Amino acid sequence: MKIILYIIRKEFKQIFRNKGMLPIIFILPVLQLVILSNAATYEIKNITFGYVDADNSSTSRGLIERFEASTYFNVSEKFSSEKEASTAMQEGSVDVYVNIPTHFERDLQKNKRNEIGVFIDAIDGSAAGVINVYATQIIQNYNKHIATDLIQVSDSVQQPSSIDSIPLFWYNETLNYKTFMVPGILVLLVTMITLFLSGMNIVREKEIGTLEQINVTPIKKHQFIIGKLFPFWVLGMGLLTIGLILAKVIFNVPILGNLLLLYGYTSVYILVILGMGLFISNFTDTQQQAMFIAWFFIVIFILMSGLFTPIESMPKWAQLLTEFNPIKYFVEIIRMVMLKGSGFADIFPLAIKTLAYAIVMNGLAVWSYKKTT
Amino acid sequence: MKTQNVIEVENLSKLFGDFTAVNQISFHVKAGEIFGFLGANGAGKTTAMKMLIGISSPSSGKATVAGFDVYKQTESIKKNIGYMSQKFALYDDLTVKENITFFGGIYGLSKKQIDQKRCELVEELGLQEVTNSLVTSLPLGWKQKLAFSVSLLHEPKIVFLDEPTGGVDPITRRQFWELIYKAAHNGTTIFVTTHYMDEAEYCDRVSIMVNGKIEALDTPKKLKEQYKTDTMNDVFLKLARG
Amino acid sequence: MKRFVGFVRKEFYHIFRDRRSLFILFGMPIAQILLFGFAITNEINNVDIAILDQANDVTSKEIINKIASSKHFSIVDIIQQESSIESIFKKGKVKAVLQFENNFGRHLIKEKQATVQILTDATDPNMANTISNYITSILKNYQHELNNAVSIDYQIVPQSRMVYNAELKSVYMFVPGVMTVILMLVSAMMTSISITREKEQGTMEILLVSPLKPFQVIIGKVFPYIFLSVINAVVIVLLSIFIFNVPVKGSLFLLGFESILFIITSLALGILISTISATQQTAMMISLMGLMLPTILLSGFIFPISSMPLPLQVISNIIPAKWFIIIVKGIMLKGVDIVFLLKETLILFAMTLLFMGISVKKYKIRLE
């Protein structure tokens, strides 16, 4: 036991003496959490809107005014032809344009319906979908308006029925994306720091030769491993704390659930990550290799974690794969506990899987660490 | 009084794929001896040593160190030996004092013992000025002496030194060997590998490895007689050519 | 010149002998493209929802049927009371609950109006919004069918045309992004590690004392990575074209040219990182922690830049990846030629020169 303390002491000294790394471990993650959380949003704002109006009637102008009044759209310019509009879209200066043909108002009054072309830059498919919804809503609202304004409604006309849908957004009434992203990014940062530091650390001792020296001492495997990994466990928990404070103070992310539960889960989660770091370091000879392999897995894990895109949207086989992705569990649990106030019983299935992962991963890692080759 | 063998090696081999690094070597080392394990770079010395200190498993053959088997009792071996690796393996980003405390602690010494040993060591090596300096700032010769002394902290029966005097001037090398003599005088067996043939003269007995095999094994004096040369260097040249 | 070639050859050997790193260097882009193409998407499919039908009449059941047959939703639970809603949300079992009011059908017929509440778990606001939108449009369609018999007022019917990406495939958006991120990270990281490794091992000084000029050393170090990155870029483009049918409407030659330009920009960034890192570890951590997240988040790769707060929009301008993504999207998906991309290309040029300039200056200071 005392031996473990000697190793822990040495590790902490080395970490805090490394002047170059300290800002990277502490300041960089904090900066990124604060700055980048503001970047992550799927809200579509500031849509640049252009139009071709070959009709110039009160109807067409009225429609354009609707777009001007909307907070979603920034009406940029009126194009003199469709060609001009389409070139502008190629240049990237409009996201969407509307093409109102000649005799628009006249044909509308004659046929009681008319079409207009809505051209949306659809490279970002999901943004295009949203733009479409917004534009369609504006047009449909305008439909109601001209119906009541321009036409006499005779009593004999039957009233249409309407089904009103009332959306109610639980846990996040304002649809604040930061509330959603900040905990996720925090998970990311804690994971990256603990994985890279723990993985590279052991390999570095290999590279400089001190690992050999350690292996010649009678120190037991588990003493060495615990001593080596413990400081990074502490670092991870520390980062979590800093992150939670920032989340609350700067972003006002709610913390509805039990913090103790969160810390308890995180302590197990970090063990999984440390186990991975150790496992990787057992099979690599240079820091660069360790780094690369860790990076490879991290990127894939991040993509498949539900952090940026929902797991529910993935095909079944991909969802199955995510069962082996530790980050997925943490992302889900931190969101559940912080934003919904989920309790121990609610997160139990996920937590139990994480625990199993921790045991298997660390078991593998310890087993594959050989003092004698 | 009969001195026992602290190291016994019989037909020990190590193969890497189809490359034979160590080819059926046999020898023994007596308690309190300074045993020189010589050979050119790449002859297989380090590989052989790694088997004896318990970090590499032999491919075949038998060996015991301090009475313990190198296959099954590596952890017991490690309790009884000290080691100074080729890279000196002290932590550059820890101070002299911290390195001593760390390795002492790893070997299970009590705080009192560590403090005592540290004082002695610092005194003996004249490191009073630099106890709180990072090891990286020490000149090479000091690092070597420090590493050697650290390997003796737990008073092991045998100490293994892998090329301990690489890269320093002859005077520093001489000083280092004085430390070795002192340790041997206190009863510690010294097993040292080197490719400096003049250091062979300082040993009680030497073996010379060529291409994985031991081609010579005796006292320096007898070897020089045998090969009719004046220096160990010439003995080696004759062997290597032959 | 022969010395230089020999030096470059040594660098190639270094790289190709490190099997593990090589595997990652090539495997990573392939894995990412496959993932993005097949697994990563924002579309909602088979989202688990629950129904709270307090009406239980013909109309509500018809609507529920419509929703059940939509590929977007999967009805996994029917609950009986409002009090159950909280617990299924907390457990994460469903993303939304549809609540039909009492006497839904009767209200609709008699008062011509009825309500459905769409309760969504909005911890993921984007998904909640999308779910609301989809359900609302299913409801509106049903409403429309009901009202077919009734003569409707004037209608402007929007004909939406999705330009450049008719099927709204998410892979169109991601491929340029993945290409950019891979090229940037690999080039910058590899270069910075390679140079700092020589520094750490002390062999850098040997190189500087050799007859090779400093800039030859740098170019020699960097050259194999240009080669590697080009191969990566080609692999990514080929995979996108053949497996995912991403078009390349513009000139392949231009794409190649711009890619090489961007690779050099990234390499220059890597060199810059190496001048401020004493050890490999620092270089790696800066590349990873300092470069990866900003590149992914601020470049327009996943999140639209125009939706970000203004200060971040400004910052995104200094991220080379942002400009390259515009270029790649332009060439591949819009089919534009160089005239449209002049601004972005020049910016990349300027950045490259800037990075190199700073690196050279720092280098000179160190040598003094």
Side-chain angles (χ1 to χ4, degrees):
Chain A
M1 183 59 206
K2 270 186 73 181
I3 296 186
I4 299 183
L5 286 176
Y6 278 108
I7 303 197
I8 294 179
R9 231 167 54 170
K10 152 182 113 66
E11 292 299 318
F12 272 120
K13 286 204 178 100
Q14 288 180 305
I15 292 176
F16 285 101
R17 238 170 237 169
N18 193 339
K19 292 285 183 271
M21 287 291 289
L22 278 182
I24 297 181
I25 300 178
F26 291 112
I27 302 185
L28 213 48
V30 163
L31 267 181
Q32 294 192 81
L33 183 63
V34 170
I35 297 181
L36 300 178
S37 303
N38 282 306
T41 175
Y42 283 118
E43 272 181 78
I44 311 294
K45 290 193 250 195
N46 298 319
I47 306 170
T48 28
F49 175 91
Y51 63 98
V52 180
D53 188 357
D55 190 41
N56 240 324
S57 60
S58 60
T59 312
S60 67
R61 268 174 293 151
L63 179 62
I64 301 299
E65 268 162 36
R66 285 295 172 108
F67 279 101
E68 274 168 2
S70 157
T71 48
Y72 293 126
F73 294 96
N74 291 339
V75 179
S76 69
E77 62 185 290
K78 176 176 178 176
F79 298 110
S80 50
S81 68
E82 223 228 301
K83 182 126 194 297
E84 204 186 308
S86 137
T87 309
M89 188 174 272
Q90 275 214 317
E91 274 171 11
S93 43
V94 274
D95 299 316
V96 53
Y97 66 85
V98 153
N99 190 8
I100 304 176
T102 47
H103 306 307
F104 178 70
E105 187 181 67
R106 191 191 71 189
D107 292 338
L108 178 64
Q109 285 180 340
K110 203 165 76 172
N111 304 324
K112 295 216 179 141
R113 74 193 295 280
N114 204 347
E115 296 178 353
I116 64 175
V118 178
F119 295 84
I120 308 176
D121 181 340
I123 290 182
D124 181 347
S126 66
V130 174
I131 295 179
N132 194 25
V133 166
Y134 290 159
T136 309
Q137 270 175 4
I138 292 184
I139 294 177
Q140 281 176 349
N141 282 336
Y142 191 61
N143 277 336
K144 287 207 194 109
H145 164 82
I146 52 174
T148 51
D149 238 28
L150 301 178
I151 306 122
Q152 306 283 14
V153 179
S154 60
D155 295 313
S156 62
V157 172
Q158 238 189 323
Q159 276 273 63
S161 354
S162 81
I163 303 178
D164 293 330
S165 61
I166 302 180
L168 289 168
F169 299 108
W170 280 41
Y171 308 118
N172 191 352
E173 276 172 7
T174 49
L175 292 186
N176 185 338
Y177 283 78
K178 295 195 197 47
T179 305
F180 178 58
M181 289 302 299
V182 166
I185 294 187
L186 181 53
V187 164
L188 196 57
L189 292 170
V190 167
T191 308
M192 288 207 307
I193 295 268
T194 43
L195 180 64
F196 286 118
L197 286 183
S198 67
M200 293 211 301
N201 189 296
I202 299 187
V203 183
R204 200 171 64 185
E205 293 226 24
K206 247 197 241 191
E207 265 187 22
I208 59 182
T210 48
L211 196 67
E212 191 184 69
Q213 194 72 26
I214 297 272
N215 283 336
V216 179
T217 69
I219 192 175
K220 299 202 184 29
K221 263 208 297 200
H222 76 268
Q223 289 172 323
F224 178 61
I225 290 175
I226 295 179
K228 264 246 162 257
L229 296 182
F230 181 73
F232 297 117
W233 183 89
V234 171
L235 260 182
M237 299 296 269
L239 268 176
L240 175 72
T241 309
I242 299 178
L244 286 175
I245 297 178
L246 286 173
K248 192 86 193 104
V249 166
I250 299 190
F251 295 103
N252 235 327
V253 176
I255 305 184
L256 293 178
N258 189 341
L259 269 181
L260 224 58
L261 181 62
L262 192 57
Y263 271 94
Y265 175 78
T266 310
S267 59
V268 175
Y269 173 78
I270 297 184
L271 289 181
V272 177
I273 302 298
L274 292 177
M276 280 186 169
L278 175 62
F279 189 65
I280 293 177
S281 70
N282 287 338
F283 290 100
T284 49
D285 299 314
T286 65
Q287 291 181 70
Q288 182 189 312
Q289 282 177 354
M291 178 75 154
F292 262 31
I293 296 183
W295 181 51
F296 179 71
F297 281 107
I298 273 269
V299 170
I300 296 190
F301 281 165
I302 291 176
L303 291 177
M304 305 274 286
S305 66
L307 177 56
F308 296 121
T309 60
I311 295 184
E312 292 81 15
S313 305
M314 298 182 194
K316 285 291 176 216
W317 60 264
Q319 292 192 30
L320 206 64
L321 281 181
T322 66
E323 291 287 306
F324 296 101
N325 180 356
I327 303 187
K328 154 202 150 128
Y329 295 106
F330 195 12
V331 166
E332 208 168 316
I333 287 187
I334 202 176
R335 284 174 176 162
M336 283 169 86
V337 172
M338 280 179 81
L339 309 177
K340 293 198 271 197
S342 301
F344 180 66
D346 300 319
I347 68 169
F348 185 73
L350 294 169
I352 246 315
K353 286 186 195 165
T354 311
L355 183 60
Y357 210 127
I359 296 177
V360 169
M361 194 76 241
N362 281 291
L364 270 177
V366 170
W367 172 77
S368 59
Y369 179 87
K370 304 257 185 258
K371 277 184 78 184
T372 307
T373 47
Chain B
M1 185 182 69
K2 178 170 182 260
T3 41
Q4 35 154 205
N5 292 332
V6 288
I7 302 180
E8 288 187 348
V9 177
E10 198 184 315
N11 288 329
L12 199 64
S13 296
K14 178 82 182 181
L15 281 75
F16 294 106
D18 37 348
F19 170 64
T20 309
V22 175
N23 197 346
Q24 301 202 303
I25 58 176
S26 302
F27 64 94
H28 63 270
V29 176
K30 301 199 262 270
E33 257 198 308
I34 301 181
F35 188 85
F37 201 59
L38 315 177
N41 291 326
K45 309 190 299 294
T46 306
T47 313
M49 184 189 264
K50 286 196 177 161
M51 289 192 276
L52 296 179
I53 60 179
I55 60 174
S56 172
S57 227
S59 306
S60 65
K62 288 201 272 199
T64 60
V65 174
F68 295 105
D69 175 61
V70 300
Y71 287 94
K72 297 211 164 49
Q73 296 171 306
T74 52
E75 295 304 304
S76 304
I77 293 180
K78 288 167 185 175
K79 287 202 179 89
N80 288 287
I81 63 171
Y83 175 57
M84 186 180 148
S85 89
Q86 219 169 9
K87 296 180 187 174
F88 307 122
L90 291 173
Y91 289 103
D92 269 341
D93 50 354
L94 295 181
T95 65
V96 170
K97 182 172 170 191
E98 286 163 352
N99 266 291
I100 298 174
T101 312
F102 175 68
F103 283 106
I106 296 287
Y107 276 102
L109 300 183
S110 74
K111 189 158 186 317
K112 220 171 104 179
Q113 287 172 312
I114 296 178
D115 286 340
Q116 188 190 351
K117 290 263 166 199
R118 193 176 59 232
C119 286
E120 287 172 9
L121 204 163
V122 167
E123 182 77 40
E124 183 174 338
L125 294 183
L127 295 174
Q128 294 89 337
E129 302 288 312
V130 293
T131 39
N132 289 322
S133 310
L134 296 181
V135 163
T136 188
S137 64
L138 297 181
L140 190 54
W142 293 27
K143 278 194 214 176
Q144 286 172 346
K145 291 188 231 172
L146 181 59
F148 179 59
S149 308
V150 164
S151 70
L152 291 174
L153 277 176
H154 56 296
E155 296 175 14
K157 293 201 186 100
I158 317 169
V159 119
F160 289 84
L161 312 172
D162 193 0
E163 312 264 357
T165 53
V168 294
D169 62 83
I171 298 184
T172 314
R173 273 206 281 142
R174 176 78 219 166
Q175 287 172 338
F176 190 85
W177 273 90
E178 269 160 35
L179 286 178
I180 295 184
Y181 281 147
K182 202 153 163 235
H185 188 70
N186 286 333
T188 315
T189 311
I190 314 278
F191 185 99
V192 52
T193 73
T194 178
H195 60 269
Y196 289 117
M197 292 306 149
D198 56 329
E199 289 184 349
E201 312 274 0
Y202 304 149
C203 304
D204 295 326
R205 283 189 311 138
V206 300
S207 74
I208 303 184
M209 268 185 89
V210 181
N211 290 335
K213 288 194 174 159
I214 292 186
E215 300 290 359
L217 176 60
D218 215 326
T219 67
K221 188 160 168 236
K222 292 212 183 103
L223 283 177
K224 280 186 286 191
E225 280 173 12
Q226 180 184 351
Y227 287 90
K228 299 191 183 32
T229 63
D230 292 325
T231 66
M232 283 302 300
N233 203 38
D234 293 333
V235 171
F236 174 72
L237 286 174
K238 279 205 173 172
L239 269 177
R241 290 220 187 100
Chain C
M1 190 55 200
K2 249 176 81 175
R3 284 190 282 255
F4 180 66
V5 170
F7 178 60
V8 174
R9 196 151 8 127
K10 150 183 120 65
E11 289 298 315
F12 267 103
Y13 283 150
H14 268 313
I15 298 176
F16 284 98
R17 280 193 190 140
D18 188 351
R19 287 276 152 81
R20 289 195 191 104
S21 297
L22 214 54
F23 172 71
I24 306 285
L25 271 179
F26 288 123
M28 167 77 90
I30 298 180
Q32 281 198 359
I33 284 279
L34 290 178
L35 273 182
F36 269 112
F38 287 125
I40 309 291
T41 170
N42 270 320
E43 298 155 35
I44 63 169
N45 292 312
N46 289 319
V47 170
D48 293 338
I49 64 173
I51 310 277
L52 173 55
D53 189 356
Q54 291 171 318
N56 246 322
D57 54 35
V58 175
T59 327
S60 67
K61 287 209 189 335
E62 270 183 8
I63 296 181
I64 293 175
N65 257 333
K66 278 210 177 297
I67 292 183
S69 54
S70 154
K71 66 169 179 154
H72 297 299
F73 301 108
S74 171
I75 302 181
V76 297
D77 206 357
I78 313 270
I79 55 178
Q80 309 298 339
Q81 309 139 282
E82 262 189 39
S83 49
S84 318
I85 298 180
E86 171 138 18
S87 104
I88 51 171
F89 272 164
K90 274 204 178 155
K91 286 194 165 57
K93 277 196 176 164
V94 294
K95 292 285 175 220
V97 174
L98 285 191
Q99 184 173 9
F100 293 86
E101 56 171 346
N102 258 321
N103 301 318
F104 179 77
R106 193 129 35 99
H107 280 167
L108 194 55
I109 297 178
K110 277 181 62 185
E111 286 141 41
K112 297 283 177 198
Q113 197 206 17
T115 49
V116 178
Q117 289 193 40
I118 310 176
L119 300 101
T120 48
D121 178 347
T123 46
D124 180 347
N126 189 46
M127 179 174 264
N129 211 8
T130 314
I131 292 177
S132 286
N133 285 338
Y134 277 159
I135 295 196
T136 303
S137 49
I138 293 181
L139 291 173
K140 288 286 179 221
N141 279 339
Y142 184 76
Q143 174 191 300
H144 199 75
E145 281 169 24
L146 274 187
N147 293 327
N148 251 337
V150 177
S151 95
I152 293 287
D153 16 51
Y154 288 85
Q155 276 205 60
I156 303 176
V157 179
Q159 294 294 329
S160 302
R161 212 92 18 105
M162 298 298 175
V163 186
Y164 310 130
N165 184 0
E167 292 164 46
L168 294 187
K169 286 162 68 171
S170 57
V171 73
Y172 279 36
M173 159 99 146
F174 289 136
V175 163
V178 170
M179 194 161 137
T180 309
V181 168
I182 295 276
L183 289 182
M184 158 68 86
L185 282 185
V186 169
S187 305
M189 200 163 69
M190 294 302 310
T191 312
S192 66
I193 292 175
S194 169
I195 297 183
T196 44
R197 190 170 351 129
E198 300 254 12
K199 270 207 266 189
E200 246 183 54
Q201 290 176 348
T203 49
M204 183 57 108
E205 265 137 2
I206 301 180
L207 284 176
L208 290 177
V209 180
S210 75
L212 286 175
K213 301 199 191 55
F215 88 86
Q216 279 180 314
V217 171
I218 302 288
I219 305 252
K221 278 224 148 285
V222 153
F223 188 74
Y225 297 118
I226 300 184
F227 184 63
L228 275 176
S229 298
V230 167
I231 296 185
N232 258 338
V234 168
V235 167
I236 293 178
V237 171
L238 285 178
L239 276 178
S240 319
I241 296 180
F242 290 111
I243 300 195
F244 300 113
N245 294 319
V246 177
V248 181
K249 294 188 184 151
S251 147
L252 270 177
F253 177 70
L254 182 60
L255 186 61
F257 165 71
E258 297 278 1
S259 302
I260 294 185
L261 171 59
F262 181 65
I263 292 173
I264 295 181
T265 313
S266 311
L267 292 172
L269 188 53
I271 296 176
L272 183 56
I273 295 179
S274 73
T275 60
I276 58 178
S277 312
T279 63
Q280 282 184 77
Q281 202 183 25
T282 317
M284 285 184 222
M285 290 303 273
I286 293 183
S287 306
L288 263 175
M289 296 295 302
L291 211 51
M292 177 155 94
L293 269 187
T295 303
I296 292 182
L297 291 175
L298 291 181
S299 63
F301 172 23
I302 303 185
F303 301 110
I305 298 180
S306 52
S307 303
M308 298 179 195
L310 199 52
L312 283 181
Q313 290 192 34
V314 171
I315 296 182
S316 79
N317 287 327
I318 64 171
I319 308 224
K322 164 190 166 151
W323 303 106
F324 186 59
I325 286 187
I326 297 179
I327 292 178
V328 174
K329 281 185 183 168
I331 299 179
M332 282 180 83
L333 307 170
K334 293 188 188 178
V336 303
D337 62 39
I338 184 95
V339 176
F340 285 93
L341 300 173
L342 224 37
K343 172 174 118 175
E344 290 82 9
T345 311
L346 284 176
I347 291 182
L348 282 183
F349 253 127
M351 283 185 174
T352 311
L353 290 175
L354 180 66
F355 294 147
M356 303 261 242
I358 302 181
S359 306
V360 168
K361 216 163 152 226
K362 275 190 160 285
Y363 221 44
K364 288 209 172 119
I365 297 179
R366 237 176 48 89
L367 288 179
E368 277 142 33

